[in-house]
Amino acid sequence: MSTSLKNNPLRIVFMGTPDFAVASLKALVEADFDIVGVITAPDRPAGRGRKVQESAVKQFAAEQDLNVLQPTNLKDKGFLEELKSLNANLNVVVAFRMLPKAVWQMPEHGTFNLHASLLPQYRGAAPINWAIINGETETGVTTFFIDEEIDTGSIILQKTEQITDEDNVGSLHDRLMELGGELVVETCRQIASGQVSSTPQKHFDNLKPAPKIHKETCQIDWNASLDAIHNLIRGLSPYPAAWSVFVNHGKEETIKIYKTKKEFVQHTDEVGKLIADKKTLKVAVAEGYLQLLEIQLPGKRKMETSAVLNGLDLDKNAHLR
């Protein structure tokens, strides 16, 4: 490998799809790296009108007049030939799908990935969500060289980020997105200079996974601890959102909950019971009450609970389950 960026300029293929990846691509463009290709997901119909939507990465790449490829099959012979013709010497992956070996082994300097956790903890599809759900106070971003198994390759660089009790997945996502962009640039500079080093991931018995979030993951168990419920809600806010069954006047509906406040007190109310006054709505749990600050009722938009209460007729047996 060459010892300087001047003598051995990087020719980068960037792979990513959502907003989280845009910050890294933008940082590479602003750092004057040569992006010879951008690979992103094919356009797909989305929303109620099924209007064809381009990925966030494609939209940004088009604005920068970058060469965009949107393969449906990463093992397709035609795509692999097109990828090879770009003559890239490094692949950079941020929030993309699993790559076949033929892709990640192709460039001279390999392929590195940005992951939104401090690996080896929180390998998987939803590291930001699970760090908050599990009540972590620290997380971060990691760059690592891709190998045979998902999120297990040798670590290049890491940066840490604190998680406050007020954070939700949205606020933490945005900070890690920017931090990740900085780390991607720093990693590319090390690779270009020939000064890069990587360390195999350590093996621990108590690794915490970060599997994909499903609908059942998002249902609130009101018998859990006050901290656990609060963390689940903020770890799923604003998307996909924690939910519960709202029982009122004998009718059952699904309610989404986005923001809460803990209240540790002793009481004799049944778990799940809803208690309201003109401005506040709270639900009884074993260790106290969880005040509901931002909710969404069926067919309604997300609102502050104080506004919802104006038109909400709660019966004395109203509860969440």
Side-chain angles (χ1 to χ4, degrees):
M1 188 184 292
S2 174
T3 57
S4 76
L5 181 57
K6 184 178 179 181
N7 295 330
N8 185 33
L10 291 181
R11 290 175 54 83
I12 296 171
V13 165
F14 183 89
M15 305 181 188
T17 296
D19 284 322
F20 188 86
V22 172
S24 292
L25 180 56
K26 183 172 183 282
L28 288 170
V29 169
E30 291 176 350
D32 291 326
F33 280 100
D34 185 11
I35 312 296
V36 298
V38 174
I39 300 174
T40 190
D43 300 345
R44 288 191 173 91
R48 290 182 180 177
R50 306 305 289 163
K51 185 179 177 182
V52 174
Q53 231 175 30
E54 299 175 339
S55 76
V57 163
K58 181 183 178 181
Q59 291 174 38
F60 177 80
E63 290 168 10
Q64 302 298 315
D65 201 26
L66 297 172
N67 178 29
V68 177
L69 284 70
Q70 294 178 276
T72 53
N73 181 2
L74 297 177
K75 295 180 180 179
D76 178 74
K77 187 178 179 182
F79 163 69
L80 291 173
E81 287 175 356
E82 190 174 8
L83 183 61
K84 192 172 183 180
S85 73
L86 296 176
N87 196 29
N89 54 16
L90 177 69
N91 291 337
V92 177
V93 181
V94 183
F96 197 57
R97 54 189 139 151
M98 187 176 176
L99 300 180
K101 193 171 183 177
V103 171
W104 59 259
Q105 269 197 338
M106 188 180 292
E108 175 191 354
H109 301 318
T111 299
F112 80 80
N113 185 77
L114 173 72
H115 190 72
S117 81
L118 297 174
L119 290 172
Q121 296 292 2
Y122 296 107
R123 293 170 178 156
I128 306 176
N129 302 85
W130 285 105
I132 295 180
I133 290 169
N134 289 338
E136 303 289 358
T137 57
E138 184 181 79
T139 186
V141 286
T142 302
T143 52
F144 68 96
F145 284 115
I146 287 179
D147 64 9
E148 300 280 0
E149 294 183 48
I150 295 176
D151 300 339
T152 61
S154 292
I155 291 170
I156 308 167
L157 295 172
Q158 292 187 315
K159 282 181 181 282
T160 60
E161 180 68 25
Q162 299 306 303
I163 305 174
T164 74
D165 197 48
E166 297 304 310
D167 269 321
N168 64 15
V169 74
S171 62
L172 185 58
H173 167 282
D174 291 351
R175 295 206 306 278
L176 292 178
M177 178 173 68
E178 297 302 323
L179 196 66
E182 295 170 13
L183 199 67
V184 163
V185 168
E186 194 176 334
T187 302
C188 286
R189 284 181 175 147
Q190 285 196 8
I191 292 170
S193 69
Q195 303 301 311
V196 70
S197 62
S198 59
T199 308
Q201 292 189 34
K202 295 178 182 176
H203 295 281
F204 296 104
D205 292 332
N206 60 340
L207 287 182
K208 298 172 184 176
K212 188 176 179 180
I213 302 289
H214 297 284
K215 185 179 179 181
E216 55 268 25
T217 315
C218 304
Q219 183 172 14
I220 299 167
D221 175 8
W222 295 106
N223 290 302
S225 71
L226 191 48
D227 280 330
I229 299 169
H230 176 71
N231 290 340
L232 177 74
I233 290 165
R234 65 195 186 99
L236 297 170
S237 177
Y239 182 82
W243 62 274
S244 184
V245 176
F246 174 40
V247 183
N248 189 32
H249 294 291
K251 186 178 179 182
E252 294 186 359
E253 295 181 303
T254 298
I255 183 175
K256 290 183 177 180
I257 302 172
Y258 295 91
K259 189 176 181 181
T260 55
K261 183 179 178 181
K262 297 178 290 185
E263 190 180 325
F264 288 96
V265 293
Q266 290 187 336
H267 64 79
T268 56
D269 289 316
E270 189 175 342
V271 167
K273 180 178 173 60
L274 285 166
I275 296 130
D277 58 29
K278 290 183 179 180
K279 290 186 177 181
T280 62
L281 178 65
K282 57 188 181 182
V283 55
V285 298
E287 299 166 288
Y289 297 101
L290 195 65
Q291 191 173 329
L292 308 184
L293 302 179
E294 201 171 57
I295 62 175
Q296 184 176 10
L297 295 174
K300 306 287 186 181
R301 61 183 176 85
K302 180 170 64 175
M303 298 174 68
E304 289 186 5
T305 307
S306 55
V308 176
L309 285 168
N310 291 332
L312 190 62
D313 176 25
L314 278 182
D315 75 25
K316 64 178 183 179
N317 296 315
H319 63 278
L320 297 177
R321 66 165 178 79

